[in-house]
Amino acid sequence: MRKAKAPKFKAPIVIIGGGVAGLALASGLIQRGVEVKILDRGWLPWQMGMGFIVLRTGLDALHELFPRVRWGDVGAPVLRAKIMDSSSELLSDTTLDAYAIGRGTLLNTMLDQLPPGTLIDHAGVSEFLRGADGRVRAVICDDGRVIPCSMVIGADGLRSATREFLYPDVQLEDVRVREVVSIFDAPHVAEILGTTFIKHYDPDGGFGVGMLNVGGGQVVWFVQHDADRYDWAGLSPGMLRWAIWEKVSRWPAPIPALWAMTKFTKSHLWFTRDLYPDFDYVQNNIVLIGDAAHPVLSFTSHGATGALEDAVLLAPLLADAKDDEERASSAAAFGMVRRDMFERIVVEGREILERFLLPLHKQPKGVMLPLVK
């Protein structure tokens, strides 16, 4: 643990959003003696997604940002990816260096490492107060509370209000692939999966089922589908259950068993979105990170990884700055580097999506692994 430095700024850095990006950056800053407040409109980790694949750079960031946590005890390594068709014919078998963890487990573990009172719950943001120099000097919450700040970090996720405040004309891209994602306790299935990520594809394209052990006896499984062919958006949980069964009832084990164990009232139908990064991640003393800056398709496995990378890169830059000008300059340099990187990731994610929609016999060989490296 680094020795905390004396504070150089009169007001804290305010982080909007208590997800992966916000909690990770808060930890990195607090380690370096920076005062931080996290504002979150409603912190319910079990309602905000199911699980993550974290790539090696993200796992390294977790170890650096939360050095007291034994991450191997709360998640599971992912060392292999087996991609098959719906009859279990092997399409690719690849080694990985990744990590899987349930979202609620990750967020609760991260929050437990922060000082009490760092996260202020039920604190939606309604307005920013700017000084004469154009910098935000305070954040006004929905309930009227005024929180002074030296900098604002927008870490408020896919539908970021901070991003909308900065760029009201920037809109998320609609993507025709959606996912039904579920997580539940299934120790015997988790043991069978071990350290292998398994995914089956429909030979006709546009449909896939993936599963992985996320630690603690829990399994995440997901059904990716082309919404033009499988329009399930308006279905009740019961109807969704039978729509999926009609498709996967004859698929290989353990898919039918996973279906039988799933309570679809607790599953999440995810409308996948991304955003091409043709805007600045930094404007004056407001910085966008994580999904607020660079939402990407799940095909890339760069959502949580990108958020953790943001935190481990940005924390020392902000902590070491001597004044507002140096902080702004360092943040702007960070934003340019990250935007260039995610321009590539967004493009590659869209290429993977287009291949996913094709029948297997039309897909190029060697591109089955749904990860951008």
Side-chain angles (χ1 to χ4, degrees):
M1 179 71 70
R2 296 174 181 82
K3 184 178 180 180
K5 299 178 181 178
K8 294 175 285 187
F9 296 83
K10 294 181 180 179
I13 290 179
V14 168
I15 299 173
I16 301 174
V20 174
L23 295 175
L25 180 60
S27 183
L29 291 171
I30 290 168
Q31 287 180 28
R32 294 169 170 84
V34 179
E35 185 182 2
V36 175
K37 290 295 181 185
I38 304 172
L39 307 182
D40 197 276
R41 67 174 61 251
W43 204 80
L44 297 173
W46 54 90
Q47 294 182 5
M48 297 187 293
M50 301 296 174
F52 301 109
I53 292 178
V54 179
L55 304 182
R56 169 49 60 182
T57 53
L59 183 56
D60 289 344
L62 274 177
H63 284 296
E64 181 173 339
L65 295 165
F66 300 92
R68 296 178 180 175
V69 177
R70 298 176 62 178
W71 289 104
D73 293 342
V74 293
V78 185
L79 305 179
R80 183 184 183 193
K82 289 183 66 176
I83 311 299
M84 296 170 276
D85 68 11
S86 57
S87 64
S88 288
E89 180 180 345
L90 186 65
L91 302 173
S92 68
D93 191 342
T94 309
T95 58
L96 291 180
D97 184 12
Y99 173 77
I101 188 169
R103 184 180 180 108
T105 300
L106 176 60
L107 294 180
N108 280 310
T109 302
M110 295 168 81
L111 183 61
D112 286 346
Q113 298 300 304
L114 300 182
T118 300
L119 185 142
I120 303 173
D121 201 2
H122 303 294
V125 174
S126 61
E127 189 177 351
F128 296 134
L129 292 182
R130 294 184 183 271
D133 58 1
R135 293 188 175 94
V136 176
R137 293 305 181 190
V139 173
I140 301 179
C141 298
D142 292 337
D143 60 5
R145 281 178 291 179
V146 178
I147 312 294
C149 62
S150 58
M151 175 169 268
V152 172
I153 307 294
D156 44 346
L158 184 69
R159 294 173 177 82
S160 168
T162 311
R163 183 180 64 236
E164 185 177 359
F165 171 80
L166 294 177
Y167 306 107
D169 295 330
V170 171
Q171 299 295 321
L172 292 166
E173 300 284 348
D174 287 323
V175 177
R176 66 189 265 190
V177 172
R178 298 172 185 168
E179 296 186 10
V180 180
V181 190
S182 308
I183 185 171
F184 49 81
D185 293 323
H188 61 293
V189 178
E191 184 176 359
I192 292 170
L193 293 173
T195 60
T196 301
F197 167 56
I198 293 177
K199 191 169 186 181
H200 292 267
Y201 282 100
D202 188 325
D204 293 331
F207 192 93
V209 176
M211 65 204 78
L212 69 162
N213 165 26
V214 295
Q218 290 191 310
V219 171
V220 166
W221 79 294
F222 57 90
V223 179
Q224 287 177 329
H225 56 282
D226 175 4
D228 286 358
R229 285 180 260 184
Y230 309 95
D231 187 6
W232 295 340
L235 298 183
S236 67
M239 293 295 292
L240 177 62
R241 173 183 176 86
W242 289 110
I244 293 175
W245 178 249
E246 184 177 10
K247 184 67 182 178
V248 305
S249 60
R250 297 185 180 181
W251 281 40
I255 293 173
L258 292 174
W259 174 89
M261 288 185 284
T262 299
K263 294 181 179 179
F264 284 90
T265 53
K266 296 184 178 181
S267 299
H268 178 61
L269 177 58
W270 183 21
F271 289 65
T272 60
R273 302 285 183 89
D274 71 357
L275 186 60
Y276 190 79
D278 55 358
F279 57 94
D280 292 331
Y281 293 168
V282 180
Q283 190 180 110
N284 211 326
N285 68 330
I286 303 177
V287 183
L288 300 175
I289 64 171
D291 283 349
H294 41 71
V296 293
L297 298 180
S298 59
F299 291 103
T300 68
S301 291
H302 264 278
T305 297
L308 293 166
E309 290 172 347
D310 284 350
V312 82
L313 292 170
L314 185 58
L317 296 177
L318 300 184
D320 293 342
K322 299 179 179 62
D323 52 35
D324 287 335
E325 287 72 21
E326 188 173 338
R327 261 191 184 171
S329 176
S330 296
F334 159 85
M336 291 177 63
V337 170
R338 297 301 282 166
R339 189 178 69 174
D340 288 346
M341 176 179 176
F342 275 92
E343 181 177 9
R344 174 184 65 83
I345 292 172
V346 167
V347 170
E348 293 187 21
R350 292 178 181 182
E351 291 174 354
I352 296 173
L353 181 147
E354 291 302 318
R355 294 197 294 265
F356 172 78
L357 296 172
L358 294 174
L360 290 181
H361 71 275
K362 292 186 178 181
Q363 294 193 17
K365 293 184 178 180
V367 296
M368 300 305 302
L369 184 62
L371 302 173
V372 171
K373 295 185 178 180

